[in-house]
Amino acid sequence: MLNDLLKRIADTGRQLTGGAENRSRDLIELCESLLRGKGEATGIATAADILDGFRKLNEKDRAVFFKNVVKRFSVDEARLRTAIERFAKEPQATAARELHFASEPPSQELVRRLNRAPGGTGALISMRRDLLDAATKHPELRDLDRDFAHLLGSWFNRGFLELRRIDWKTPAEVLERIIEYEAVHEITSWDDLRGRVATPDRRLYGFFHPAIPDEPLIFVEVALTEDIPSSIDSILSSERKPVDPESAKTAVFYSISNCHAGLRGISFGNFLIKQVVEDLRHELRALRTFVTLSPVPGLRRWARQQIDAGESALSEKQKQLVVALESGNAEPNAPENAKPLAEIAARYLVQPSERGGAIDPVARFHLGNGARLERIHAGADPSPRGMKSSWGVMVNYQYALGDIERNHETYASTGEVVRSSGVKRLAKA
């Protein structure tokens, strides 16, 4: 048996050394072999060969590979039709289960078996990233992405995730990934990172999965403060005055970063924030307020669209300010523009999207978690990224512990943006 296995691996190696145009076809043949095979050792070796071969494909050949997976491993229509007819005649539990299994495409079992390879989970996350990219050009691949999303959603549900606090004692390879994956406020150096994880009034927490234990899936950075902050500089400045954690009354979630594009749409952020809130409440009894200091990534693009819109959400005076800001004839950080900018941001944040709910993706995330849109701050983020996306506007979403479930139900059922009275006044301007 060992000799047969070694021969098969050698044959596979010869297959995959051919021209790039043949590799997609060769990999599909290996996939068929993987699905037919019964031996565990052979299956693991075949899965590893497929994942290794996929990594060697260029972008075009990966798209061809995905298309062939859809073509060769879709639902068995004959089996499904038989199962439907049986259930129609005998609508019982056994027939229902058979119908369920008949409706599952073999591509799902293929992904399961690929996951058995050493490092298979991480490789499949990377493969899905490539699939998502390919699906933007080839919509027929979206069904295959649903297979990936279904399985990854099961493998990465909350029950499998481990919450860890990341500090200066965390292994360097994990800290390096924190620097790499930070998506909101760039970590510019190891000293910058130290200020975020090693000082007493700062915390950093991440979710990890046992299959990829050194890879954070998502992480959140927390500042312990006296009051609700109105600018990111008050949190990130190296010259800020540290706060005694035991006397801090506010926990500020100022950066949340998803680490892997291949896990897009797999939700853990809501669990992360709620778990961190619970941990902080038990550790620091003086904490009373839990808020974010969040970017408004779609504000500037939306405001530009309102200038020529037939039914604009902005007044003529507000549109004139947008034109002046875009042409450089007005300064976003000028004191006289602070309130008008906050009013424009309020209009944007409460404006419903075509699908219902908030337009802004960050707003959708926090409102869906049960937070309330609390305050809007002009000039809060003067960084190039902040100015490019929102003229420096940032907002606070408050997680009021007694209201989270009610706010979540309100937003989920009606799409209404739950907001403070101050934001309501701004939005009416």
Side-chain angles (χ1 to χ4, degrees):
M1 180 178 177
L2 178 59
N3 288 336
D4 290 342
L5 176 58
L6 293 174
K7 181 178 182 300
R8 193 200 58 75
I9 293 173
D11 290 342
T12 298
R14 284 192 293 273
Q15 274 189 309
L16 297 180
T17 55
E21 68 277 4
N22 295 320
R23 288 180 182 153
S24 297
R25 182 192 62 209
D26 295 338
L27 287 178
I28 289 296
E29 292 176 0
L30 280 176
C31 289
E32 290 180 335
S33 174
L34 178 61
L35 286 174
R36 287 194 306 267
K38 302 297 183 183
E40 183 176 345
T42 303
I44 291 174
T46 302
D49 289 338
I50 294 168
L51 294 175
D52 183 58
F54 179 82
R55 282 190 289 267
K56 296 175 181 176
L57 298 179
N58 60 33
E59 180 181 348
K60 181 179 178 180
D61 288 319
R62 289 180 180 184
V64 172
F65 169 75
F66 290 135
K67 289 180 181 179
N68 283 329
V69 169
V70 171
K71 186 183 300 183
R72 301 278 280 272
F73 305 114
S74 290
V75 173
D76 184 334
E77 294 183 6
R79 181 188 173 194
L80 178 59
R81 193 176 299 111
T82 300
I84 292 172
E85 291 171 355
R86 181 185 173 189
F87 181 76
K89 293 178 181 178
E90 303 176 21
Q92 298 175 356
T94 300
R97 287 189 175 89
E98 176 56 33
L99 177 57
H100 166 75
F101 291 120
S103 67
E104 181 182 284
S107 51
Q108 287 196 20
E109 181 60 22
L110 174 63
V111 176
R112 291 190 190 98
R113 296 194 181 198
L114 289 173
N115 192 47
R116 298 174 186 174
T121 303
L124 287 172
I125 291 172
S126 297
M127 183 182 285
R128 185 180 180 237
R129 177 196 61 208
D130 296 325
L131 174 58
L132 286 167
D133 291 340
T136 61
K137 301 176 184 176
H138 307 282
E140 65 270 27
L141 298 180
R142 290 173 184 163
D143 285 341
L144 180 59
D145 179 58
R146 291 189 184 99
D147 293 338
F148 271 80
H150 169 70
L151 293 171
L152 290 171
S154 299
W155 299 341
F156 286 84
N157 74 56
R158 175 64 185 93
F160 293 119
L161 304 184
E162 176 190 357
L163 180 68
R164 297 186 207 163
R165 180 178 171 187
I166 298 168
D167 56 26
W168 205 237
K169 297 177 183 178
T170 299
E173 60 184 331
V174 176
L175 294 176
E176 287 174 349
R177 286 175 171 82
I178 296 298
I179 294 174
E180 176 186 354
Y181 293 142
E182 165 57 53
V184 184
H185 303 292
E186 180 186 8
I187 299 174
T188 58
S189 65
W190 281 94
D191 284 341
D192 187 3
L193 177 63
R194 187 183 184 103
R196 302 194 195 193
V197 302
T199 51
D201 59 349
R202 295 293 181 267
R203 300 284 192 276
L204 197 153
Y205 299 89
F207 268 150
F208 291 78
H209 191 279
I212 43 176
D214 297 324
E215 280 282 348
L217 306 176
I218 185 173
F219 60 87
V220 60
E221 298 172 62
V222 184
L224 303 175
T225 64
E226 290 292 337
D227 303 305
I228 297 177
S230 59
S231 75
I232 194 61
D233 279 349
S234 66
I235 290 174
L236 297 181
S237 173
S238 59
E239 299 178 359
R240 63 180 176 80
K241 184 179 179 181
V243 174
D244 179 3
E246 297 297 331
S247 65
K249 296 180 176 57
T250 304
V252 185
F253 304 99
Y254 65 91
S255 180
I256 302 174
S257 297
N258 284 290
C259 303
H260 301 282
L263 291 173
R264 188 186 311 161
I266 311 301
S267 177
F268 355 83
N270 53 345
F271 298 114
L272 176 63
I273 289 181
K274 291 172 183 176
Q275 184 66 60
V276 170
V277 166
E278 288 302 314
D279 285 12
L280 287 171
R281 285 180 64 206
H282 285 92
E283 179 191 357
L284 303 168
R285 299 293 182 176
L287 288 177
R288 293 291 181 270
T289 304
F290 298 88
V291 299
T292 75
L293 183 59
S294 299
V296 193
L299 171 60
R300 189 166 176 176
R301 181 179 64 252
W302 174 84
R304 286 196 298 263
Q305 293 170 348
Q306 300 310 303
I307 294 173
D308 299 318
E311 294 184 9
S312 176
L314 299 180
S315 69
E316 286 303 316
K317 187 174 182 180
Q318 289 170 334
K319 287 195 283 187
Q320 290 171 11
L321 175 58
V322 172
V323 171
L325 291 168
E326 289 296 288
S327 64
N329 293 325
E331 285 294 326
N333 292 331
E336 64 271 18
N337 291 330
K339 189 166 185 284
L341 258 181
E343 292 168 349
I344 291 172
R347 292 294 301 162
Y348 166 65
L349 290 165
V350 305
Q351 195 75 11
S353 70
E354 293 180 357
R355 296 175 296 176
I359 300 173
D360 188 77
V362 176
R364 286 199 301 271
F365 173 77
H366 290 295
L367 294 168
N369 287 345
R372 177 178 68 202
L373 177 56
E374 189 67 18
R375 299 180 188 177
I376 300 175
H377 308 286
D381 183 7
S383 71
R385 176 183 289 179
M387 298 303 291
K388 182 179 180 180
S389 64
S390 65
W391 296 298
V393 174
M394 299 188 79
V395 302
N396 303 123
Y397 297 96
Q398 182 167 358
Y399 285 83
L401 301 180
D403 299 334
I404 287 176
E405 291 304 320
R406 182 172 68 251
N407 292 346
H408 166 75
E409 289 299 327
T410 298
Y411 183 74
S413 60
T414 69
E416 178 187 348
V417 175
V418 181
R419 52 200 183 267
S420 67
S421 57
V423 171
K424 289 179 182 178
R425 287 192 296 271
L426 289 170
K428 289 180 180 178

